[in-house]
Amino acid sequence: MSETLRIGVHANNPTLLVASRTGELEKKLSPLGISVEWHHIAAGARTVDLVGANIIQVGGTGSTPPISAQARGLPLVYLATSAARPVGGIYVRHDSKAQAIADLAGRRIALGVGSWLQALLATALDRAGLTWKDIVPLDLTETEARAALLAGDIDAWVSGGALKDGADQLRVLANTQDLVSNPSVFFAHRDLAERRPDVLAAIAAALDAVDRWIAAHPAEAAAHLVAAARGPLTAEEWQAHIIKRPWGLKPVDDAFIAEQQRAADIFHRFGLLPRAIDVRDAVPPTPIAIERAA
């Protein structure tokens, strides 16, 4: 008996975007009696809620949404991660008096609240001896935040590095690589993980194959991404992004779990989670290896 697997895809996850167009998952899952249905999501952070409601069974985001989902009791389990993506950081204007994170106490800081940038900022604040209550967080888009910072209307901006206009007017206060590894995180509904560990293994292998195809075919992958993401990056910008970014999936390992636990503990102390969690509770009961073709 065949089963339909619903997978969420959004503009901030290039692996899933390309996978939705190449047929690699369909090829891997068809022998297991699984067909694929792609669900396009306008806001990537909604992915965890869609998995929690079993509207989709598989999705991917940055590191923060799965932590928040686990704290809310959503039935997610980790599937795989990408390599570290140390892009961006915490920025201030060149003329800012802030010389260290501790100098941001009481200041207005823009970020995508609930995204991986929340883990970046929370980690930076914790190391500086500050808490979430010591700042004024503003949930702004990258475009809104850049404009507000350049205009002097906010004091700092936590960004993934999309510094096109006005980059020469900004200064890096803290680099991502010094604070968090920022992997892409892939996860599935717990019911699927418990019923079909073979399907999860096939999904991980397929997404890894897609990543390796992207790395080997940057121009073709960029064309897919322009068509699937529908802006704002051009094909040339996507290709430059592909060349700089690491590709290939990794199994969920102790280092990833430890970093997620550190972030979860900070979030709880900062009042950003409704309860403390043990990240290992979201690791699938059957370890997922990523098999690669020779």
Side-chain angles (χ1 to χ4, degrees):
M1 184 176 178
S2 64
E3 179 179 351
T4 299
L5 180 70
R6 298 180 296 276
I7 302 177
V9 58
H10 58 83
N12 292 326
N13 192 302
T15 299
L16 289 169
L17 281 175
V18 173
S20 71
R21 295 175 57 87
T22 63
E24 184 66 28
L25 265 80
E26 289 85 346
K27 182 175 70 176
K28 285 280 199 307
L29 294 173
S30 180
L32 301 177
I34 302 292
S35 61
V36 176
E37 188 176 280
W38 296 94
H39 282 242
H40 289 265
I41 305 167
R46 293 186 61 239
T47 302
V48 291
D49 286 324
L50 294 173
V51 173
N54 207 29
I55 293 171
I56 61 176
Q57 287 80 50
V58 176
T61 63
S63 59
T64 296
I67 293 173
S68 300
Q70 188 180 351
R72 289 188 286 136
L74 300 185
L76 272 64
V77 295
Y78 290 109
L79 172 61
T81 76
S82 73
R85 296 184 296 117
V87 295
I90 302 174
Y91 300 86
V92 295
R93 285 169 53 108
H94 265 304
D95 57 4
S96 171
K97 295 181 180 179
Q99 298 299 317
I101 296 297
D103 297 331
L104 296 179
R107 302 298 184 179
R108 295 157 297 172
I109 305 177
L111 71 154
V113 175
S115 73
W116 72 270
L117 299 168
Q118 179 174 305
L120 172 60
L121 178 57
T123 301
L125 293 172
D126 188 59
R127 290 189 186 178
L130 301 178
T131 72
W132 206 253
K133 293 180 181 179
D134 293 319
I135 62 164
V136 181
L138 301 175
D139 189 6
L140 303 180
T141 67
E142 293 271 297
T143 300
E144 293 165 341
R146 181 191 297 110
L149 185 60
L150 292 174
D153 294 324
I154 60 173
D155 302 292
W157 174 29
V158 189
S159 170
L163 303 178
K164 295 181 184 178
D165 302 329
D168 58 338
Q169 301 176 50
L170 304 181
R171 171 164 51 87
V172 180
L173 198 62
N175 285 300
T176 293
Q177 61 262 35
D178 298 326
L179 296 163
V180 297
S181 64
N182 179 34
S184 287
V185 182
F186 300 87
F187 42 82
H189 194 284
R190 181 173 292 277
D191 174 70
L192 177 66
E194 293 175 347
R195 287 190 302 107
R196 298 296 303 267
D198 58 328
V199 170
L200 259 62
I203 293 168
L207 292 177
D208 178 68
V210 168
D211 258 22
R212 293 179 184 281
W213 182 87
I214 292 171
H217 304 86
E220 293 174 68
H224 279 305
L225 288 165
V226 167
R230 302 167 188 170
L233 299 184
T234 65
E236 292 75 18
E237 288 168 335
W238 269 120
Q239 190 165 344
H241 174 76
I242 289 168
I243 292 169
K244 293 178 182 177
R245 175 175 172 154
W247 297 95
L249 266 61
K250 298 170 52 180
V252 173
D253 59 18
D254 288 342
F256 168 76
I257 294 169
E259 184 173 56
Q260 289 291 88
Q261 190 66 58
R262 283 193 295 274
D265 292 344
I266 293 171
F267 289 168
H268 184 247
R269 283 193 282 106
F270 284 3
L272 298 173
L273 294 182
R275 64 183 179 91
I277 62 169
D278 184 344
V279 170
R280 286 193 181 275
D281 290 341
V283 175
T286 303
I288 301 170
I290 299 176
E291 296 184 4
R292 293 177 181 143

